[in-house]
Amino acid sequence: MKIAIICDVLGKGNNGTAVVTQNLYEHLKEGGHNVTIICADQSKKDAEGYFVLPTVKLGKVLDAYVDSVGVCLAKCDKKVMDRVLCGVDYIHCIMPFALGRYAAGYARRHNIPISAGFHLQAENITSYLKLNRLSFLQKLVYKFLYRSFYSKMDAIHYPTQFIKDTFENAIGKTTNGYVISNGVNGFVTRRTVEKPREYADKIVIGNVGRYSREKSQDTLIKAVKYSKYADRIQLILAGQGNKEKYYKRLAKNLPVMPKFGALSREGVVDMLNYCDIYAHTAEIELEGIACLEAIKCGKLTIVSDSKLSATAGFAADERCIFKNRNPKSLAKTIDFWIENADERRVLEQAYLNSGTAEYTKECMLDMDIMIESVIRARRLLDGIAEQPSVCEVGSLMYR
């Protein structure tokens, strides 16, 4: 088949959207399909399988923010989109922005099966405006996304049951949704990695994520100040983002300065294996691949109890959960696990054996099932298929 993956927001390899897009691209290529990614990442201009559109300009402030989180936002050129999409057999959209919305209309006009991933929480938008406490506003955002985009899809890929329930509760409708994790790359495994020499006498606490309000790394920095072991704790905050200067000011008076900056994919996996504790502090988290990677490495993983985060359901023990945005609660949790190393090792094994984290390859097989179901249901609609399966009937219900 000729398949188009539409990704309005693409960015660096450590960006979640880029990882999801690349994983799907590689899997479909391995299956023998002709796959094109349509995006605005100018670094991909000469790369095989990519078609690059211009980058949209949003103004100085918003452009700086988009750049700080390491992504590129595409500008929709309708004539170019028509040319690139001509002759495709299937379309999958990653985001509900300009390219995705145009692709949805194109698919309808040309009777092309289409699906979309759900990789954006309403709170990701309202948090930037500091309005994420207004629950009615989140519902309005979700209803807008449904009316303008997701209602036009044959199927929706939800990375977690959490976000499927959140979206369907907000819009008051049941969708033709497939809950499929984005998965963890196969090279993310538990292995013996020596701590770097400079951390040999330290308790290393890791955290991976974009430096942003919703990821709440400030809670972790403040928690270290309250810890009885502050002078022994080495934080490694692997990431980048617009909050970096603020976080460095906040950490200035800690006995041990945290390590800031993005790590390579190999560097992240090494850190997850040699750190003593992994703390995932995000208040808003649709899936939390970094958290799943820590679990796949068999690491004692601490999570927030935030109702806006899927990772709240990943904890292997209630003692691994702290009160959202409460530094003292997090400090108490950290201190408990520092003082109980034997129990920590037992729980590390429990995380490793929990089955919470799946490998990407397994998840991609479920994506195949979704795509095949959508195509067969469309053929049924056109009167060229045999008796539909349960999945196919589900797809037809939402056309």
Side-chain angles (χ1 to χ4, degrees):
M1 287 194 301
K2 188 176 180 182
I3 300 175
I5 301 175
I6 314 294
C7 189
D8 288 76
V9 179
L10 199 65
K12 299 173 183 177
N14 59 356
N15 172 274
T17 305
V19 172
V20 166
T21 304
Q22 189 64 32
N23 286 343
L24 182 58
Y25 171 79
E26 290 174 358
H27 174 74
L28 292 172
K29 286 284 285 184
E30 286 175 7
H33 302 293
N34 179 356
V35 190
T36 300
I37 296 175
I38 303 173
C39 66
D41 186 344
Q42 302 305 307
S43 70
K44 301 291 194 300
K45 268 192 174 178
D46 299 319
E48 182 185 354
Y50 285 82
F51 190 91
V52 180
L53 288 164
T55 303
V56 71
K57 299 299 179 185
L58 302 170
K60 189 175 180 180
V61 175
L62 285 176
D63 283 345
Y65 174 75
V66 170
D67 184 63
S68 73
V69 298
V71 300
C72 305
L73 187 59
K75 181 179 181 180
C76 185
D77 184 319
K78 296 179 181 179
K79 289 183 179 179
V80 174
M81 287 288 287
D82 284 350
R83 189 170 75 248
V84 180
L85 291 174
C86 182
V88 301
D89 301 301
Y90 192 91
I91 299 172
H92 182 74
C93 304
I94 302 294
M95 285 289 185
F97 299 144
L99 298 188
R101 290 200 301 273
Y102 186 79
Y106 185 94
R108 180 155 292 194
R109 291 193 300 275
H110 295 85
N111 198 30
I112 300 170
I114 185 169
S115 57
F118 205 102
H119 303 288
L120 178 72
Q121 282 177 269
E123 290 81 4
N124 292 137
I125 299 170
T126 57
S127 177
Y128 175 74
L129 303 171
K130 298 185 179 179
L131 297 172
N132 55 302
R133 300 296 180 190
L134 303 178
S135 57
F136 77 91
L137 192 56
Q138 332 299 354
K139 284 191 175 183
L140 288 178
V141 171
Y142 282 131
K143 286 180 178 180
F144 170 77
L145 291 176
Y146 179 74
R147 287 195 305 269
S148 65
F149 183 71
Y150 287 105
S151 62
K152 300 172 175 62
M153 297 296 121
D154 294 308
I156 303 173
H157 160 222
Y158 297 100
T160 57
Q161 187 66 44
F162 160 79
I163 195 59
K164 182 178 187 290
D165 292 343
T166 298
F167 184 56
E168 291 183 344
N169 288 338
I171 64 174
K173 296 178 185 293
T174 300
T175 63
N176 183 35
Y178 292 73
V179 178
I180 306 167
S181 172
N182 289 315
V184 173
N185 262 305
F187 67 81
V188 181
T189 59
R190 187 180 200 176
R191 58 178 185 260
T192 302
V193 179
E194 291 281 337
K195 272 187 189 179
R197 189 174 300 174
E198 62 268 34
Y199 306 150
D201 62 341
K202 298 290 189 292
I203 300 160
V204 177
I205 299 178
N207 175 281
V208 180
R210 185 176 71 256
Y211 300 154
S212 63
R213 191 170 186 275
E214 63 265 31
K215 299 298 183 183
S216 310
Q217 288 98 337
D218 55 329
T219 304
L220 181 54
I221 294 168
K222 292 173 185 175
V224 174
K225 293 182 180 180
Y226 291 114
S227 172
K228 293 183 283 186
Y229 306 95
D231 60 340
R232 293 178 54 201
I233 293 175
Q234 173 67 64
L235 288 184
I236 299 181
L237 303 175
Q240 60 183 29
N242 63 323
K243 288 283 186 182
E244 183 168 351
K245 289 182 180 178
Y246 167 64
Y247 288 164
K248 286 181 176 178
R249 287 198 304 271
L250 193 63
K252 195 163 57 175
N253 294 324
L254 288 179
V256 181
M257 188 65 179
K259 179 76 172 178
F260 291 92
L263 298 175
S264 66
R265 295 296 297 130
E266 293 78 8
V268 167
V269 178
D270 283 347
M271 183 273 287
L272 292 176
N273 275 285
Y274 70 67
C275 73
D276 298 290
I277 294 171
Y278 180 79
H280 200 82
T281 52
E283 177 182 20
I284 300 168
E285 193 72 272
L286 190 149
E287 183 173 25
I289 292 297
C291 189
L292 291 174
E293 289 181 340
I295 291 170
K296 206 66 175 174
C297 291
K299 193 56 52 180
L300 188 287
T301 303
I302 295 170
V303 296
S304 158
D305 69 353
S306 173
K307 294 179 180 178
L308 303 177
S309 174
T311 59
F314 295 170
D317 190 288
E318 288 185 1
R319 295 170 298 178
C320 295
I321 302 173
F322 72 95
K323 293 180 182 176
N324 181 51
R325 285 200 175 276
N326 188 321
K328 289 185 178 179
S329 173
L330 178 53
K332 186 177 178 182
T333 304
I334 288 170
D335 287 356
F336 174 83
W337 289 113
I338 289 174
E339 292 167 356
N340 293 275
D342 289 341
E343 285 191 66
R344 190 170 78 223
R345 281 187 282 274
V346 171
L347 209 56
E348 284 176 345
Q349 196 61 42
Y351 270 113
L352 193 62
N353 298 333
S354 66
T356 300
E358 294 182 277
Y359 280 122
T360 300
K361 195 162 186 176
E362 300 162 354
C363 300
M364 288 298 103
L365 295 176
D366 290 333
M367 289 293 287
D368 284 340
I369 292 171
M370 182 190 78
I371 291 170
E372 289 167 6
S373 295
V374 169
I375 291 171
R376 289 165 61 195
R378 179 61 68 90
R379 286 175 178 167
L380 175 69
L381 190 66
D382 294 340
I384 60 174
E386 298 176 357
Q387 185 69 23
S389 67
V390 174
C391 292
E392 291 162 359
V393 171
S395 182
L396 289 171
M397 287 171 61
Y398 303 100
R399 292 291 304 153

